[in-house]
């Protein structure tokens, strides 16, 4: 799917509203045409015919009505297009978030979350200008100048021919200029995206930058990054503004030419065609209609960067939409009745990196407690991601029974910015206060809970700031308890707990397993391995079962 | 109002520091607007003059009209409008982007001065929206809210003065009506849309936060099958945000309609009053037409203002939140640590610390001394105050009570540069930056040779693994170092630390997440590197005493209290 295609698809959803916006726009433009023709007639009557103003009162009043009607149409146009844009953005964001969910944690890990947030917030909002302004204007540009051209032609066909001749040149030039601008605009969007990622990363590690006395250099970095962005932008803008300058030039020249033509015509210097019939009324009407003829195009060119911005944004969004989903879609059920997981000739590897694990043939039964050991970097975490369904194997088949949720406990559990309760609800949205308290107690956080004056409603920060590492881990354990999962996958569950807490947690986990659940844990701790009934080791790219 | 000014003032000052660019930019906009008005006005004058001359000639009356000067004028204004518009836009955008760099640099500078406690209260997604959206919004002040209204007002005054030369009444009416209209579309619309646009900033920030949550918690949401629940939260919030945007859009539509209605009526009024003057023979036809056309064109001067000012709240909200980043620097004389001392001794004298938003103290009456070049181990479960103690020693927070001294000096009073040179801390949370392995290591020592980098990696037993990677030192570590395993990231952080040459070293869980063999390797390298330095190991518990050779003191933290019982080297 291309960005253009996607934008067209989005516009199609609100075709009717957008069309109405264009119709109101054309009607408003029509009122302007009536207004200036009316002015020309009045001036002719006043200056040349010499009628008294009081005899023209009805016409004056009529023009006031035209002005008010024009305001009404303008308001309708804006409301319609704003409405359409809102609905389109809502839908677009929904599609993007769905896709991100389908791409899954393994893919997301390799992305910069700041850039992803920018794509789903700023880039979707960047579509606003395109649908609220550019798209309806594109329709208006087709109809309104034609309408005005007809009126001008009715007054004086030579003047209409002037306008007609200059008009097709404009889109041509704009297209030429626009093509270059579009590519540059894309670069600029990438730069904005990278810039925000660069920043979130530096700020996240502000403590480290301070500790190493590296803040001045990092601050300079921020300036250089922005300055680089400035240079990129100026390249875009030099071209982007050129397109509007071309338009401005043609509009100005057309007005000048029409003015000279009408002036000389009125003086009787031109004997050709309709010129001898020119009156002040028709001449002035033509002159005042000339800028109106170009106005829709000028408006379009003002909104041209909206289009470029939308295309740039669409490109970055479509790049995500075009990714193949990583999350294993509905894995096959295990063939053997008592097996919960079956790995059949499974291999895992990442692009750009050496193969992690290959040739795995394993069957894990319901109720097993499995310990997986291996050096750091040997692929334990990847294996667990595979079992949790976060990624599909690059080779072979992974069959998992996933009727119930899988409980997942990470090396670095995610702490949402929100209350303690919010952070527990992630595992069980419906759980009530008592259940949450029970889970916290079971995870060994009774003391923490009782020391917090606001209890479950206490706000805790990103990545568990405010909580110590051990507390974060225990909070994540509480989530495991809350879930109704049959399969519990734990990645170094007790890595940051002290011995006393660790043994409590291990005991709790084993009790959890005794209630019929299956545990698969990656671990370094001998205590955990001793408690398992099966033990695998990741060793030089292979998964080897160690006899117990 | 006063508050409003006070919040925006520092940023306006920063923007107007480039006063000259502001003046040139405004002048260019003004010239562009006037050129457009002059083009049409002169053309109108010319046509009517020609028509009158034509009528006179047809009637056989003598009439002379110089067509060359107005003709040249028309061509000149046509060209001037084009060139001025192009130059104006380019010039002003360059200024805007220069200001953007100024603003970003300044905000990041504010951020670097935050202390530990304030840093922990904030969240990366908020920072991000601060540097990008908020700064962009402030930057927009310049091109949307500063230059256009000034140029518009100048144009209004210029045009009405010009009309008043021939038609004083019309000139006065135009001046009064347009100045009032100008005030309405700037101050009035700013007030009208304030609440909605102010809301829009926080709505977007909240939305961004929710999306970040979805991305960062994707593992949990997917495995617990609660993605739907979280998405519902996103959608609810989005619906609220869009309701607000809808109201703003309606106001904008009404505002534009009002503007075009008023300018349209003014146009007709100008013609009406002008026609009275004409019939009273106070003015000639061409001049009347020129005045009418000038008023017709004035709409263009004002047309961009309503939309810009309706969004005033956006800029104000941004300024307010950026202001909140500025911390009041504590006022005291900073000192430097002596350069040439061998090691530094540490002394805790009845030290207590309570976090600003916390009720219970994190540390209570710490009393201990660690001689220069000695090594201590402090054990304690999570939450016992180890990280707080590290923050105090590093001078990142000041004790609430008591005093802590490093070589007799309070670390809080030591300049940040001197602190960075002499102290090193391996934090419990590993911070790697998105970039290559090499870039991450060089944060510690920009001038390090490649050999030094490899040496540091080999002391944490990573050189072998790095050599196996196709890109070696240029291997990307990913955001938060997520392309590495937890243990690897930890070791990279340790290698980074060991590239430095500090006098005091604090190591929070140096052996977390690594297997026993690697831990022994790390212990050996550390033992070597720590000789001649004062060091504190912060551990949950001592798993293996052989990992901690040459330790002089063994202390224990329990609920914020330090239990010191010095033991012999084990």
């Amino acid at each position: 799917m291309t960005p253009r295609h996607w934008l067209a698809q989005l516009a199609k959803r609100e075709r009717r509203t957008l069309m109405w916006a264009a119709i109101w726009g054309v009607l408003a433009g029509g009122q302007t045409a009536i207004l200036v023709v009316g002015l020309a007639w009045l001036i002719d009557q006043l200056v040349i015919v010499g009628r008294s103003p009081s005899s023209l009162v009805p016409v004056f009043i009529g023009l006031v009505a035209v002005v008010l009607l024009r305001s009404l149409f303008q308001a309708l146009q804006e409301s319609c297009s704003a409405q359409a844009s809102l609905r389109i953005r809502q839908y677009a964001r929904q599609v993007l978030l769905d896709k991100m969910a389908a791409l899954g944690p393994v893919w997301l890990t390799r992305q910069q979350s700041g850039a992803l947030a920018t794509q789903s917030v700023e880039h979707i909002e960047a579509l606003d200008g395109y649908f609220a302004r550019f798209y309806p204007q594109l329709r208006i540009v087709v109809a309104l100048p034609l309408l005005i051209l007809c009126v001008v032609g009715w007054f004086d066909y030579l003047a209409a021919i002037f306008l007609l001749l200059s008009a097709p040149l404009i889109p041509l030039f704009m297209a030429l200029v626009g093509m270059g601008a579009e590519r540059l605009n894309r670069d600029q969007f990438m730069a904005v995206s990278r810039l925000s990622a660069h920043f979130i990363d530096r700020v996240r590690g502000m403590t480290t930058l301070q500790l190493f006395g590296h803040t001045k250099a990092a601050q300079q970095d921020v300036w250089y990054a922005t300055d680089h962005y400035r240079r990129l932008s100026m390249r875009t803008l030099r071209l982007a503004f050129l397109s509007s300058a071309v338009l401005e030039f043609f509009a100005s020249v057309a007005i000048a030419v029409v003015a000279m033509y009408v002036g000389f015509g009125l003086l009787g210097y031109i004997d050709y065609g309709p010129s001898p019939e020119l009156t002040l009324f028709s001449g002035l009407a033509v002159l005042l209609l000339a800028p109106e003829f170009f106005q829709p195009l000028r408006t379009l060119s003002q909104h041209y960067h909206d289009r470029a911005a939308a295309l740039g944004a669409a490109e970055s969004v479509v790049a995500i939409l075009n990714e193949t989903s990583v999350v294993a879609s509905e894995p096959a059920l295990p063939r053997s009745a008592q097996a919960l997981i079956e790995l059949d000739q499974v291999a895992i590897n990442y692009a750009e990196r050496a193969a992690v694990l290959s040739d795995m043939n394993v069957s894990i039964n319901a109720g097993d407690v499995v310990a997986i050991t291996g050096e750091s970097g040997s692929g334990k975490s990847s294996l667990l991601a595979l079992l949790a369904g976060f990624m599909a194997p690059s080779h072979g088949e992974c069959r998992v029974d996933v009727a119930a949720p899988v409980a997942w406990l990470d090396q670095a559990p995610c702490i949402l910015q929100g209350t303690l309760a919010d952070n527990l609800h992630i595992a069980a949205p419906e759980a009530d206060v008592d259940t949450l308290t029970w889970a916290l107690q079971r995870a060994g956080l009774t003391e923490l809970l009782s020391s917090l004056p606001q209890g479950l409603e206490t706000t805790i920060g990103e990545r568990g700031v405010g909580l110590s590492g051990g507390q974060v881990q225990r909070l994540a354990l509480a989530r495991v308890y809350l879930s109704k999962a049959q399969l519990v996958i734990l990645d170094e569950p007790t890595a940051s707990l002290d011995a006393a807490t660790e043994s409590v947690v291990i005991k709790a986990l084993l009790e959890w397993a005794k209630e019929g659940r299956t545990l698969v844990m990656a671990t370094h701790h001998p205590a955990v391995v001793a408690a398992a009934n099966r033990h695998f080791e990741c060793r030089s790219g292979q998964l080897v079962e160690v006899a117990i | 109002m006063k508050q409003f000014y006070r919040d925006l003032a520092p940023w306006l000052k920063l923007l107007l520091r480039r006063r000259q660019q502001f003046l040139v930019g405004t002048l260019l906009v003004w010239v562009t607007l006037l050129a457009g008005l002059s083009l049409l006005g002169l053309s109108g004058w010319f046509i009517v003059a020609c028509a009158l001359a034509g009528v006179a000639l047809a009637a056989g009356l003598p009439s002379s009209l110089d067509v060359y000067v107005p003709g040249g004028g028309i061509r000149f204004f046509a060209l001037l409008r084009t060139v001025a518009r192009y130059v104006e836009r380019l010039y002003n955008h360059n200024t805007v982007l220069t200001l953007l760099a100024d603003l970003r640099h300044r905000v990041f500078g504010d951020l670097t001065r935050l202390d530990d406690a304030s840093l922990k209260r904030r969240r990366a997604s908020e920072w991000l929206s601060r540097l990008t959206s908020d700064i962009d919004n402030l930057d927009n002040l310049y091109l949307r809210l500063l230059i256009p209204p000034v140029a518009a007002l100048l144009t209004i005054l210029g045009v009405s003065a010009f009309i008043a030369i021939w038609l004083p009444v019309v000139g006065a009416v135009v001046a009064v009506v347009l100045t009032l209209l100008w005030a309405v579309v700037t101050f009035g619309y700013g007030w009208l849309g304030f609440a909605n646009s102010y809301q829009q900033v926080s709505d977007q920030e909240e939305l961004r936060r929710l999306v970040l949550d979805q991305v960062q918690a994707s593992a949990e949401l997917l495995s617990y099958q609660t993605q739907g629940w979280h998405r519902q939260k996103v959608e609810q919030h989005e619906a609220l945000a869009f309701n607000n945007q809808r109201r703003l859009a309606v106001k904008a539509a009404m505002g534009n309609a009002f503007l075009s209605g008023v300018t349209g009526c003014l146009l007709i009024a100008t013609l009406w009053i002008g026609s009275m003057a004409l019939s009273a023979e106070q003015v000639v036809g061409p001049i009347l037409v020129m005045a009418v056309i000038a008023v017709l064109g004035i709409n263009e001067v004002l047309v961009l203002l309503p939309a810009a000012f309706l969004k005033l709240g956006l800029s104000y909200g941004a300024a307010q939140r950026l202001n909140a980043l500025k911390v009041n620097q504590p006022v005291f004389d900073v000192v430097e640590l002596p350069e040439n001392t061998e090691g530094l001794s540490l002394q805790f004298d009845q030290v207590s610390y309570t976090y600003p938003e916390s009720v219970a103290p994190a540390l209570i009456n710490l009393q201990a001394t660690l001689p220069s070049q000695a090594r201590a181990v402090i054990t304690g479960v999570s939450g016992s105050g180890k990280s707080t103690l590290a923050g105090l020693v590093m001078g990142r927070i000041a004790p609430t009570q008591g005093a802590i001294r490093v070589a007799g000096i309070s670390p809080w009073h030591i300049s940040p540069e001197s602190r960075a040179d002499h102290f090193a801390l391996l934090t419990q949370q590993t911070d790697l930056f998105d970039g290559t392995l090499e870039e991450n290591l060089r944060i510690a020592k920009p001038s390090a040779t490649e050999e030094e980098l490899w040496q540091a990696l080999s002391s944490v037993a990573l050189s072998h693994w790095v050599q196996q990677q196709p890109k070696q030192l240029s291997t990307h570590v990913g955001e938060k170092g997520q392309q590495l395993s937890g243990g690897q990231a930890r070791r990279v952080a340790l290698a980074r630390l060991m590239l430095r040459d500090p006098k005091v070293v604090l190591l929070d869980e140096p052996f977390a997440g690594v297997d026993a063999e690697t831990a022994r390797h790390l212990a050996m390298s550390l033992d070597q590197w720590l000789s001649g330095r004062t060091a504190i190991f912060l551990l949950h518990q001592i798993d293996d005493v052989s990992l901690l050779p040459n330790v002089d003191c063994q202390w224990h933290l329990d609920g914020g209290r330090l239990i010191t019982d010095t033991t012999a080297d084990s």
Side-chain angles (χ1 to χ4, degrees):
Chain A
M1 189 163 51
T2 65
R4 273 162 217 274
H5 187 182
W6 189 57
L7 289 180
Q9 216 177 322
L10 289 175
K12 218 169 168 183
R13 296 183 58 85
E14 291 293 329
R15 203 175 34 195
R16 191 186 279 270
T17 321
L18 287 170
M19 200 179 69
W20 271 111
I23 290 173
W24 297 126
V26 171
L27 286 176
Q31 298 304 309
T32 306
I34 295 174
L35 176 65
V36 295
V37 170
L39 281 178
W41 186 80
L42 276 178
I43 288 168
D44 184 57
Q45 294 298 310
L46 289 164
V47 176
I48 304 293
V49 183
R51 284 174 68 174
S52 71
S54 48
S55 66
L56 294 167
V57 167
V59 184
F60 274 102
I61 291 172
L63 285 187
V64 171
V66 167
V67 164
L68 296 180
L69 210 55
R70 179 178 69 172
S71 286
L72 177 69
F73 290 146
Q74 274 176 348
L76 284 171
Q77 181 203 346
E78 276 190 57
S79 314
C80 275
S81 50
Q83 186 67 23
S85 157
L86 276 173
R87 283 204 289 257
I88 287 174
R89 279 178 285 149
Q90 196 164 21
Y91 171 77
R93 185 170 294 127
Q94 201 178 328
V95 170
L96 178 62
L97 291 180
D98 281 345
K99 182 68 189 184
M100 274 166 26
L103 285 165
V106 175
W107 183 85
L108 290 171
T109 301
R110 278 176 282 152
Q111 308 301 311
Q112 295 172 326
S113 46
L116 289 175
T118 305
Q119 269 148 355
S120 345
V121 181
E122 273 87 355
H123 286 190
I124 296 289
E125 292 301 313
L127 300 179
D128 181 36
Y130 181 76
F131 292 110
R133 294 184 286 268
F134 186 83
Y135 192 88
Q137 192 63 30
L138 202 60
R139 302 296 176 274
I140 294 173
V141 153
V142 178
L144 191 53
L146 220 70
L147 184 80
I148 290 173
L149 198 69
C150 290
V151 180
V152 172
W154 185 70
F155 284 118
D156 188 303
Y157 69 81
L158 262 183
I161 289 173
F162 285 145
L163 295 182
L164 194 61
L165 280 181
S166 61
L169 290 176
I170 294 165
L172 187 75
F173 273 89
M174 277 174 62
L176 281 176
V177 174
M179 267 185 268
E182 199 177 301
R183 195 180 51 74
L184 285 169
N185 216 290
R186 239 172 10 229
D187 295 348
Q188 197 187 339
F189 244 86
M190 295 288 288
V192 174
S193 208
R194 273 201 302 269
L195 195 63
S196 55
H198 177 266
F199 184 66
I200 197 172
D201 197 54
R202 296 305 183 271
V203 174
R204 203 194 289 278
M206 186 61 84
T207 305
T208 300
L209 293 175
Q210 288 174 342
L211 283 173
F212 283 110
H214 203 68
T215 50
K216 289 239 162 59
Q219 193 184 359
Q220 277 307 314
D221 261 10
V222 167
W223 197 87
Y224 284 126
T226 310
D227 197 54
H228 175 67
Y229 166 65
R230 179 183 68 85
R231 267 177 284 140
L232 256 180
S233 296
M234 285 316 291
R235 257 176 29 213
T236 314
L237 294 176
R238 261 199 286 274
L239 273 173
F241 292 160
L242 208 57
S243 71
S244 60
V246 167
L247 183 58
E248 200 81 0
F249 177 73
F250 275 96
S252 304
V253 166
I255 292 168
V257 167
V258 166
M260 304 306 277
Y261 162 75
V262 170
F264 286 119
L266 287 172
L267 282 172
Y269 291 178
I270 308 174
D271 295 327
Y272 181 76
S275 310
E277 276 101 68
L278 270 172
T279 59
L280 180 60
F281 169 44
S282 62
L284 201 56
V286 167
L287 177 75
L288 293 179
L289 282 170
E292 293 310 319
F293 173 75
F294 290 99
Q295 193 52 47
L297 265 170
R298 287 180 69 200
T299 311
L300 185 73
S301 107
Q302 270 170 18
H303 300 330
Y304 197 81
H305 72 268
D306 283 332
R307 173 179 178 273
L311 272 175
E315 176 150 309
S316 83
V317 173
V318 165
I320 295 180
L321 296 181
N322 283 340
E323 288 272 346
T324 31
S325 300
V326 182
V327 170
S329 52
E330 277 301 297
L333 287 176
R335 291 193 184 142
S336 141
Q338 65 270 55
L340 194 64
I341 302 170
E342 283 175 358
L343 297 185
D344 189 356
Q345 296 286 323
V346 168
I348 310 170
N349 40 305
Y350 296 105
E352 228 194 289
R353 293 252 298 264
V356 182
L357 285 167
S358 54
D359 250 347
M360 293 184 286
N361 291 294
V362 172
S363 170
I364 292 167
N365 294 335
D368 274 352
V369 174
V370 181
I372 300 172
T373 55
E375 288 176 28
S376 53
S378 63
K380 297 190 298 289
S381 300
S382 304
L383 176 60
L384 295 184
L386 179 82
L387 297 180
F390 296 169
M391 59 192 282
S394 41
H395 181 79
E397 196 181 18
C398 171
R399 297 186 285 266
V400 185
D401 187 3
V402 284
V406 176
W408 171 265
L409 205 163
D410 213 60
Q411 276 171 327
C414 178
I415 299 300
L416 309 177
Q417 174 86 356
T419 64
L420 202 52
D422 288 338
N423 272 284
L424 292 169
H425 278 140
I426 197 172
E430 307 296 330
D432 56 20
V433 175
D434 291 341
T435 320
L436 299 185
T437 314
W438 161 82
L440 287 175
Q441 277 165 355
R442 190 157 188 175
L445 285 173
T446 318
E447 260 181 67
L448 173 76
L449 189 61
S450 56
S451 73
L452 297 172
Q454 286 165 290
L456 285 167
E457 296 308 313
T458 310
T459 305
I460 52 178
E462 188 187 36
R463 286 168 86 197
V465 174
L467 300 182
S468 72
Q471 286 165 335
V472 168
Q473 210 76 359
R474 281 189 262 190
L475 180 61
L477 276 173
R479 286 182 187 153
V480 175
Y481 298 140
L482 280 173
S483 72
K484 300 198 168 59
Q486 292 305 306
L487 171 60
V488 185
I489 298 176
L490 305 122
D491 197 350
E492 312 254 6
T494 56
S496 56
L497 301 185
D498 57 281
T501 325
E502 183 187 0
S503 64
V504 171
V505 169
I506 301 257
K507 212 173 120 215
L509 278 171
L510 291 174
E511 271 167 27
W512 200 242
K514 276 193 201 118
E515 290 166 33
R517 292 174 184 86
T518 312
L519 301 188
V520 179
M521 326 185 215
T523 185
H524 283 124
H525 285 268
V528 181
V529 179
N533 70 347
R534 297 181 73 184
H535 177 197
F536 291 92
E537 194 180 345
C538 293
R539 196 190 297 151
S540 47
Q542 303 288 318
L543 186 67
V544 187
E545 176 143 22
V546 183
I548 289 194
Chain B
M1 193 63 208
K2 209 168 169 186
Q3 182 62 33
F4 177 81
Y5 176 75
R6 197 177 318 146
D7 282 336
L8 276 177
W11 304 102
L12 288 176
K13 256 183 222 149
L14 184 74
L15 294 180
L16 291 179
R17 218 167 50 187
R18 299 186 186 263
R19 213 167 285 120
Q20 207 171 353
Q21 266 132 309
F22 175 74
L23 285 178
V24 173
T26 309
L27 205 69
L28 281 169
V29 173
W30 190 61
V31 167
T32 310
L33 289 171
L34 281 186
L37 286 174
S38 308
L39 172 65
L40 260 183
L42 187 59
S43 300
W45 179 89
F46 179 68
I47 285 180
V48 180
C50 284
L52 287 173
V55 169
L57 285 174
L61 296 168
S63 171
S64 70
L65 178 70
D66 176 10
V67 294
Y68 295 104
V69 173
I74 287 170
R75 281 193 296 272
F76 169 73
F77 285 127
L79 207 64
L80 180 66
R81 183 169 87 148
T82 309
V83 174
R85 169 62 54 93
Y86 182 70
V87 173
E88 172 262 302
R89 295 186 76 183
L90 215 55
Y91 184 86
N92 280 328
H93 273 86
N94 191 45
T95 310
V96 159
L97 292 171
T98 314
L99 289 171
L100 187 64
D102 290 354
L103 285 166
R104 284 192 173 152
H105 186 255
R106 154 116 170 228
V107 170
F108 195 85
D110 285 347
L111 297 184
T112 60
R113 282 184 282 278
L114 292 180
D115 67 358
D116 236 14
S118 346
L119 271 174
K120 282 183 179 161
R121 259 183 281 136
R122 297 201 157 76
R123 176 184 149 101
S125 62
E126 285 170 32
W127 300 112
L128 176 68
S129 105
R130 287 216 159 90
L131 194 77
T132 54
S133 314
D134 286 359
I135 296 178
D136 284 351
N137 275 329
L138 274 191
D139 204 30
N140 276 341
L141 266 178
Y142 185 78
L143 208 52
R144 293 191 310 141
L145 301 181
L146 286 183
I147 287 191
V150 176
L153 194 61
L154 284 177
T155 313
I156 287 169
L157 294 178
V159 168
S160 21
F162 184 73
I163 293 173
I165 297 174
W166 295 280
L167 291 161
V169 181
V170 175
V173 170
V174 168
V176 169
V177 172
L178 285 182
T179 310
L180 281 177
L181 186 63
W182 178 86
V184 169
V185 295
T186 53
F187 297 112
Y189 286 13
W191 173 80
L192 186 69
F194 194 81
N196 297 110
S197 51
Y198 187 70
Q199 180 68 31
Q200 205 178 335
V201 190
S202 48
D203 278 349
Q204 276 211 12
E205 191 168 323
E206 174 71 7
L207 192 58
R208 166 184 275 283
R209 183 181 77 70
L210 285 167
V211 172
L212 270 177
D213 275 350
Q214 189 193 327
V215 172
Q216 292 177 343
S218 63
E220 281 87 351
L221 290 169
L222 181 62
S223 60
Y224 292 130
Q225 301 182 358
T226 46
Q227 280 174 322
W229 164 76
H230 190 262
R231 275 301 291 283
Q232 212 179 342
K233 283 196 350 190
V234 175
E235 273 156 29
Q236 276 168 1
H237 174 74
E238 201 184 26
L240 280 178
F242 276 172
N243 270 336
N244 181 54
Q245 280 199 31
R246 193 170 292 124
R247 279 194 288 274
L248 193 60
V250 167
K251 284 180 184 173
M254 294 299 161
N256 285 331
F258 173 73
L259 176 64
S260 93
V262 172
T263 49
C265 289
L266 179 68
L267 174 69
I268 293 161
T270 304
L271 183 58
W272 174 256
I273 304 170
S275 64
M276 295 299 188
L278 187 74
S279 58
E281 293 192 356
Q282 289 160 344
V283 71
V284 292
I287 296 293
L288 169 65
V289 171
M290 193 157 67
V292 169
I293 288 181
V295 176
L296 179 67
I298 208 89
N299 191 42
E300 189 170 327
V301 175
L302 296 167
V303 77
L304 291 175
L305 293 179
F309 274 86
L310 279 169
K311 289 184 182 148
L312 182 65
L314 231 65
S315 309
Y316 178 64
Q320 227 180 12
R321 275 165 320 119
L322 287 175
N323 286 340
L325 292 181
K326 263 191 103 58
V327 280
N328 292 323
Q329 290 282 321
V331 187
F332 49 73
D333 293 329
V334 290
V335 287
E336 306 276 317
L337 275 169
E339 274 303 322
N340 45 9
T341 44
E342 276 298 293
L344 301 168
S345 63
L346 281 179
Q347 200 186 347
F348 299 89
D349 188 8
Q350 296 296 317
V351 174
S352 296
Y353 186 79
T354 310
Y355 280 100
E357 281 162 19
S358 167
V359 269
L363 289 175
I364 309 153
N365 294 340
L366 250 66
Q367 185 73 44
T369 308
L370 188 64
S372 170
Q373 305 192 24
R375 287 184 210 176
V377 175
I378 302 178
T379 53
V381 294
S382 49
S384 60
K386 297 196 300 291
S387 304
T388 312
L389 186 135
L392 285 168
V393 174
M394 300 298 294
R396 300 178 59 74
I397 43 181
T400 332
Q401 275 167 35
I404 177 165
R405 291 190 195 89
V406 177
I409 303 170
S410 158
W412 179 247
H413 292 102
I414 299 170
S415 73
E417 295 77 17
S418 182
R419 273 203 316 250
D421 282 346
H422 292 88
F423 299 165
L425 166 67
L426 180 72
T427 49
Q428 193 180 28
Q429 181 176 297
T430 309
D431 281 323
L432 293 188
F433 297 94
D434 190 19
T436 64
L437 209 50
E438 181 171 350
E439 284 163 359
N440 270 287
L441 292 173
R442 282 193 191 280
I443 285 173
K445 191 174 179 185
S447 64
T449 62
E450 202 155 298
E451 200 179 328
E452 282 176 287
L453 299 183
W454 282 109
Q455 204 184 342
L457 285 172
S458 86
S459 43
V460 295
L462 265 181
S463 54
H464 186 61
W465 180 82
V466 175
Q467 269 158 1
Q468 278 178 338
Q469 299 307 305
K471 291 185 177 170
Q472 304 227 339
L473 281 175
S474 305
T475 305
H476 273 264
V477 303
E479 190 183 354
K480 293 195 262 166
Q482 278 174 328
Q483 297 276 29
L484 307 180
S485 77
Q488 283 169 330
R490 193 100 193 114
R491 276 140 71 193
V492 172
L494 191 58
R496 185 167 63 185
L497 201 71
M498 287 163 79
L499 280 167
R500 292 184 76 92
D501 183 21
K503 300 265 170 21
V504 177
V505 183
L506 276 80
L507 301 159
D508 198 344
E509 295 292 340
F511 309 116
V514 298
D515 55 83
E517 199 187 326
T518 315
R520 275 194 294 280
H521 186 107
L522 294 183
M524 210 176 63
S525 316
L526 273 175
D527 182 37
Q528 224 168 18
W529 181 66
L530 286 177
S531 76
R533 310 180 203 276
T534 315
I536 300 179
F537 286 86
L538 300 163
L539 302 171
H540 279 99
Q541 75 226 2
I542 299 173
D543 289 321
D544 182 354
V545 283
S546 70
L547 294 180
L548 305 161
N550 303 318
V551 166
D552 307 291
C553 315
Q554 191 178 325
W555 301 334
H556 183 70
L557 261 176
D558 190 5
R561 290 174 199 280
L562 191 70
I563 301 150
T564 52
D565 42 88
T566 317
T567 54
D569 183 9
S570 42

